[in-house]
Amino acid sequence: MSADARVRRVAGTAAATRVPWDLVGLVVLAIAVAFMPDLLKAFFGRASVSYLSIATNALSLSILALSWDILARTGQLSLAHAAFYGAGAYTTALLVKHASLPLWVGIPLGGVAAVIFALLLGAVTLRLRGIYFAIATLSAAEVLKAVVHHLPTPIAGGNAGLNVPALFRPEFIAGQMERWEVAFLRNEAYFYVYGVVLLATVLASILVQRSRFKHAFTAIRTNEEVAGVMGIRPARAKLLAFVLSAVFVGMLGAVEAHRVGSVLPEQSFSVATTVLALVTPIFGGLYTTLGPIVGALGLSSVQETLRRTFSDGYLIGYGVVLVLSILFMPRGVVGLMNGLMRRRAKPAAGAPERTGEEDRP
Amino acid sequence: MSVVIRATALAKHFGGLAAVDDVSFEVEAGEIFAIIGPNGAGKTTILNLVSGLLTPTAGRVELLGRDVTAASPAQRCHAGLGRAFQVVQPFPEMTLRENVLVGALFGTPGLSRADAEHRADEALEVTGLTALSAVDAEDLTLMQEKRLEIARALATKPSVLLLDEVMAGLRPAEARDAIGLVKAVRDQGVTIVFIEHVMPVVRDLADRVLVMDHGKVLTEGRYAEVTQDARVIEAYLGKEDAA
């Protein structure tokens, strides 16, 4: 009985002194998003217009990568994220063309469209595991692409796509601002929209990590059979992860359609979206909230630096960086940092005493 | 006495091979029920059919009077079935306590987080793992892993616990500890079904023994009875002696 009391006391003190780093990070991110445009403007003046656009791309990649990671926590590697992105993009484009609703409505409805598609796709594919799931989901984007491509042109625009009006049209007021400030205001407004979507994604990820779903996802990833015997319903948990993984990417696709000004079959259902969605969290560190965001910020910086240094063939350098980092940081940037911190924290602690555990039956 | 598990004419065919064929047995509340037999007799297949990891080719499984033949592993877990695996399979990325917490969190739908944590700590204490709570599950010794396997199953609050060769690979002293642990679990009111190769363990633990060979039931009864059965000696014990 005394041992029981002791355990509870130890657990209590640990909980009391633990810093909620995830929530601290969320607040820091919110503050960074709120002040980023003004900071860039103050430091870079006219150049801040393009910097803001680069920062927006980094937010976009963060949303995509973190969303992908939420599903990856259940062990399912999705190649369907271009489909969710494109479903969101085409939803808002079609609404603009065929319904007279406020432009903003397309963004949440883009998320809804992605969720519906995830439910349909998940019901069919989530019982598959590993490479079989990946291949089944890869076809999803191709199917949607073929659908919009072959729908009659007056409906979905066919190969030429559809125009999507901008969400923001700041007006130039002579005497009160310079010409470039119009572009800055437009980019600033988009940056905030992306920032809000990213904060929502981060919040969803944190809520998963703080709930029992974190344990369910990890258990399913490491051993689905044992997870079932422990009372976890793998099919339900994976479908929930799939839905969470799709909703923000659908919204992202919708926002991006307005920012770019058009949707095209090739561009909205691009394999590049699918590849970035999985490469970025692998680079940053899987199965965490922080890893995919670190990966997105890191890869965006690397790509932009390379692009400015070598205008031609910079993608080759980008590929080399990716290959090297995956070879030498198999657990991503965050895994590397954790390893370094752990080594510093207990330099005397050796390897686990037990060796040769691979030989066990 | 009430019947906890009733298997009726269970069969499982893998292709042309009948791993389990026309097996029927009943496990009563509060007993320790052993399933023995040579390698390949179908013992683990029976546990997989009972816990829902395999669907039977024919036959029925009832758990506490409910037909669960078509139920998922999770549903059977919620109905009161716990399972510890032969090849210990902790979730390696979690600490020992988190592993046990998984069982507590999901074993009973609707259980609050605080109750689940309490239940996990109870299971850790019963299995003597409290001091190791914060250790990563991949850093455990074999005996600790076996205890974890039982703790995790106990945390689901089972009415009946299936143990698949939990003594395998243990040294005699460790096996004695494990026997004590199984008895302690039974004394808490949990019915136990276990597969075992080590005959002294079966003798010390089992109230009743089901002997299997080539997927069929050879005989069933008390340890002293079945070990006198000529067919059992031939199929199982005889081979052991010769080896």
Side-chain angles (χ1 to χ4, degrees), chain A residues 3-4 7-8 210 212 215-216 218-219 221-223 225-226 228-233 352 354 357 360-361, chain B residues 73-74 77-78 83 85 88-89 91 93-94 102 105-107 111 113 118 125 130 138-141 145 152:
Chain A
D4 192 37
V7 174
R8 234 172 292 146
R210 284 178 160 250
R212 58 186 70 194
H215 296 296
T218 309
R221 182 176 77 240
T222 40
N223 196 324
E225 287 195 338
V226 177
V229 170
M230 293 292 127
I232 296 168
R233 297 184 177 97
R354 201 157 49 98
E357 61 183 82
R360 263 186 307 125
Chain B
C77 171
H78 298 156
R83 165 94 189 259
F85 287 86
V88 285
Q89 315 192 20
F91 302 121
E93 294 167 44
M94 302 183 190
V102 168
L105 279 172
F106 297 97
L111 192 70
R113 177 84 187 205
H118 183 66
E125 185 156 351
T130 304
E138 54 191 355
D139 295 342
L140 299 176
T141 66
E145 282 183 341
R152 201 167 55 167

Side-chain angles (χ1 to χ4, degrees), chain A residues 31-319:
Chain A
I31 293 171
V33 167
F35 290 101
M36 183 63 73
D38 285 336
L39 276 176
L40 287 175
K41 194 178 184 185
F43 277 98
F44 299 107
R46 169 177 293 216
S48 65
V49 174
S50 71
Y51 281 128
L52 203 45
S53 184
I54 293 164
T56 308
N57 291 341
L59 295 185
S60 166
L61 188 57
S62 302
I63 295 164
L64 184 65
L66 183 54
S67 294
W68 184 88
D69 188 79
I70 291 177
L71 178 67
R73 291 169 198 168
T74 68
Q76 301 290 56
L77 305 186
S78 154
L79 296 179
H81 274 64
F84 302 140
Y85 180 92
Y90 265 89
T91 298
T92 196
L94 290 168
L95 281 174
V96 168
K97 190 169 163 65
H98 300 290
S100 48
L101 293 170
L103 289 184
W104 285 98
V105 175
I107 295 167
L109 288 183
V112 170
V115 165
I116 292 169
F117 188 65
L119 287 172
L120 295 174
L121 183 65
V124 183
T125 59
L126 276 171
R127 69 189 62 196
L128 302 172
R129 296 189 208 172
I131 194 74
Y132 301 102
F133 175 76
I135 289 170
T137 54
L138 181 61
S139 59
E142 295 304 316
V143 168
L144 283 191
K145 191 202 285 184
V147 167
V148 294
H149 198 220
H150 288 102
L151 279 175
T153 311
I155 296 178
N159 206 20
L162 295 168
N163 285 328
V164 186
L167 286 173
F168 307 104
R169 300 176 186 279
E171 280 186 27
F172 175 64
I173 307 166
Q176 287 190 18
M177 57 169 72
E178 297 184 46
R179 278 274 171 204
W180 62 266
E181 284 183 281
V182 178
F184 179 87
L185 285 176
R186 186 194 63 223
N187 285 4
E188 183 187 37
Y190 277 112
F191 179 84
Y192 285 134
V193 175
Y194 280 70
V196 169
V197 177
L198 176 59
L199 287 169
T201 316
V202 171
L203 185 63
S205 170
I206 288 175
L207 290 177
V208 165
Q209 294 297 84
R210 284 178 160 250
S211 74
R212 58 186 70 194
F213 287 111
K214 177 191 178 185
H215 296 296
F217 289 0
T218 309
I220 292 167
R221 182 176 77 240
T222 40
N223 196 324
E224 190 168 330
E225 287 195 338
V226 177
V229 170
M230 293 292 127
I232 296 168
R233 297 184 177 97
R236 270 195 211 184
K238 287 194 282 190
L239 201 56
L240 173 79
F242 210 32
V243 163
L244 285 177
S245 187
V247 59
F248 301 109
V249 174
M251 294 171 75
L252 173 68
V255 180
E256 213 130 84
H258 288 285
R259 177 167 167 240
V260 174
S262 64
V263 291
L264 293 163
E266 288 298 329
Q267 174 193 306
S268 299
F269 299 101
S270 163
V271 174
T273 307
T274 290
V275 172
L276 281 175
L278 79 106
V279 162
T280 312
I282 292 171
F283 174 77
L286 291 167
Y287 318 138
T288 56
T289 305
L290 186 60
I293 296 175
V294 168
L297 300 184
L299 283 186
S300 302
S301 318
V302 169
Q303 187 185 2
E304 196 54 33
T305 311
L306 287 171
R307 193 175 66 84
R308 284 170 187 246
T309 319
F310 323 93
S311 54
D312 284 332
Y314 75 95
L315 281 175
I316 297 173
Y318 185 65

Side-chain angles (χ1 to χ4, degrees), chain B residues 207-225:
Chain B
D207 297 318
R208 280 193 305 141
V209 181
L210 181 78
V211 188
M212 295 198 53
D213 191 28
H214 291 106
K216 290 178 189 289
V217 174
L218 214 52
T219 182
E220 187 196 311
R222 307 185 66 82
Y223 179 82
E225 297 161 11

